[in-house]
Amino acid sequence: MNKRGKVLIVSGSAGSGKSTVLTPFKDGGVEPFRFSVSATTRVPRKGEIDGRDYLFVSHKEFEEMIEKGELLEHAVFNKNYYGTPKAPVERLMEEGKVVILEIEVDGAEQVMSAFDDEDIISVFLSPPDYKTLEARLRARGTNTEEDILERLERAKVEITYARLYKNILINYDNRSEEVTRAIVDIVNGIDPKGLDIYCENSVELEKRFYKN
């Protein structure tokens, strides 16, 4: 009989590099990690595949999922729904897997309250500072000025939620592989505090974020 698995919550603002850091886990080739595929009503971006990156659904379909209690959490971001289907997460945990949830801070709170503390591993991922975040968002070339400003303002709010997470990691430019390895170490019970990408607490994080 498999030992019950855990939920690994990874959150961070737009531009924190979540997708890059978590890409190695997406094909299921890194044991015992499995990626939870979120449902969303937003339009797919170039290269995204339905069922792998997200479950792309209509607003009506998403609202039916809410009504039926089929979601562990859900939130609205940039006028679109995002949520985590409950059944796949529970099934994978019963199989002894570490289920990765790449979710917004609003949804993370909901998941944290839905499970026992011992079932949860949580990581808040942050860019090094505000200027780096802005540069990353502008470099995408896909967002309007209004979108960029909205995401920057939201990042200021999201960073205050870092206190809810057991681990805070800084994703410096060109160092995403180090962050990925640190997440694996955290799951395996290895203390990351000696790493310069580790942030001791949310107070320290805010000092770094607004350092300039």
Side-chain angles (χ1 to χ4, degrees):
M1 183 175 179
N2 288 321
K3 180 181 177 181
R4 181 170 167 81
K6 293 183 181 294
V7 170
L8 169 59
I9 298 172
V10 181
S11 303
S13 67
S16 61
K18 299 185 297 296
S19 295
T20 302
V21 166
L22 296 175
T23 292
F25 303 110
K26 286 192 175 181
D27 64 0
V30 183
E31 291 292 345
F33 297 90
R34 291 294 184 273
F35 213 90
S36 169
V37 181
S38 296
T40 184
T41 58
R42 77 158 170 77
V43 176
R45 293 173 183 158
K46 184 178 179 180
E48 288 183 331
I49 298 174
D50 185 29
R52 183 197 71 179
D53 299 290
Y54 283 96
L55 298 172
F56 294 101
V57 300
S58 67
H59 278 263
K60 181 180 178 181
E61 289 171 322
F62 198 103
E63 287 167 357
E64 287 176 352
M65 294 170 76
I66 295 173
E67 290 174 8
K68 293 176 181 177
E70 295 177 353
L71 299 172
L72 267 177
E73 57 81 28
H74 66 278
V76 177
F77 180 60
N78 277 1
K79 301 178 182 177
N80 282 300
Y81 281 121
Y82 291 81
T84 303
K86 184 186 301 182
V89 173
E90 290 287 357
R91 175 177 55 79
L92 288 168
M93 289 181 72
E94 289 304 316
E95 293 174 3
K97 305 302 182 184
V98 175
V99 189
I100 301 172
L101 272 60
E102 180 188 348
I103 54 179
E104 304 294 331
V105 293
D106 319 59
E109 275 196 291
Q110 296 173 49
V111 175
M112 288 175 188
S113 65
F115 290 94
D116 292 336
D117 189 60
E118 63 186 20
D119 289 333
I120 298 286
I121 300 169
S122 56
V123 176
F124 187 88
L125 192 60
S126 175
D129 52 54
Y130 183 87
K131 287 186 176 180
T132 300
L133 174 59
E134 182 176 5
R136 288 178 181 177
L137 293 176
R138 294 190 180 283
R140 287 179 176 180
T142 57
N143 298 317
T144 66
E145 183 67 17
E146 182 181 357
D147 287 338
I148 291 170
L149 294 176
E150 183 177 337
R151 288 169 187 265
L152 288 170
E153 286 305 306
R154 180 170 173 80
K156 294 177 182 178
V157 175
E158 289 172 325
I159 202 171
T160 66
Y161 284 78
R163 69 188 187 282
L164 302 177
Y165 294 73
K166 297 176 183 177
N167 303 277
I168 302 172
L169 298 177
I170 308 298
N171 187 23
Y172 293 96
D173 288 344
N174 304 313
R175 295 180 64 184
S176 61
E177 291 182 3
E178 292 179 53
V179 181
T180 302
R181 288 196 297 270
I183 289 174
V184 173
D185 286 346
I186 288 168
V187 171
N188 290 329
I190 299 172
D191 193 337
K193 291 183 180 178
L195 302 174
D196 69 337
I197 60 173
Y198 182 81
C199 191
E200 190 68 33
N201 53 53
S202 60
V203 174
E204 180 188 340
L205 175 62
E206 292 195 37
K207 287 180 180 176
R208 292 193 190 192
F209 189 72
Y210 295 112
K211 67 180 180 181
N212 296 318

